[in-house]
Amino acid sequence: MGKVNEMQVIFLNVNDNKAPEKLNIKDDLQSYYNLLECNTIDIIRRKIGKRYFHIICDDEGMLVEGPKISAISNLGEIRLVGNLVICSDMVTESGDLVGLSDEEAEYIRKRIEFLYTRQYPQGYYILTQCEY
């Protein structure tokens, strides 16, 4: 088995109402499951602002009662729910994910805002400008 690489990501922990964090994590399934607090993940490619990134999310997040919104479009439409791990749009030759540069991490942080919803009037951090 090959060496597991570490990568820099932005972790958006909406489940615990925490501010976004820049973390170095192992690029492996167990790390994703632990951060996302789920049993099934999906790795999707989405546009944030004008640039693309890979987002690791709970594949079954919309199936739970009262899912917590974690990403919205420019029009406020729900795009993703639950905790998110955001990494670079690039992948290695073998198809592994690539961590964020410091500049990419800052770009994403600027698009995460503290917002209020009807279900969560105390507010929490949500990724904005997330498009298909």
Side-chain angles (χ1 to χ4, degrees), residues 98-117:
V98 173
L100 297 167
S101 67
D102 289 337
E103 185 273 328
E104 288 172 319
E106 186 58 30
Y107 178 90
I108 292 167
R109 279 192 154 171
K110 287 180 180 177
R111 283 146 186 88
I112 296 174
E113 297 185 28
F114 195 83
L115 299 175
Y116 307 87
T117 67

Side-chain angles (χ1 to χ4, degrees), residues 4-9 23-32 35 56 85:
V4 176
N5 295 323
E6 283 210 351
M7 62 180 182
Q8 178 172 265
V9 300
L23 299 176
N24 286 312
I25 66 166
K26 289 182 181 178
D27 179 18
D28 67 5
L29 285 174
Q30 196 57 53
S31 296
Y32 304 149
L35 288 170
I56 305 159
V85 175

Side-chain angles (χ1 to χ4, degrees), residues 42-108:
D42 197 4
I43 300 173
I44 58 175
R45 185 175 181 258
R46 293 289 182 268
K47 192 173 184 183
I48 300 172
K50 296 182 184 285
R51 297 161 67 177
Y52 283 92
F53 296 89
H54 283 104
I55 302 174
I56 305 159
C57 59
D58 182 353
D59 190 42
E60 298 175 339
M62 292 295 271
L63 303 177
V64 300
E65 186 175 334
K68 197 163 187 184
I69 300 166
S70 54
I72 59 173
S73 72
N74 289 327
L75 300 175
E77 302 160 318
I78 299 170
R79 292 294 185 233
L80 299 168
V81 298
N83 291 347
L84 303 176
V85 175
I86 306 167
C87 51
S88 175
D89 184 39
M90 295 184 290
V91 293
T92 65
E93 282 184 20
S94 59
D96 294 328
L97 296 172
V98 173
L100 297 167
S101 67
D102 289 337
E103 185 273 328
E104 288 172 319
E106 186 58 30
Y107 178 90
I108 292 167

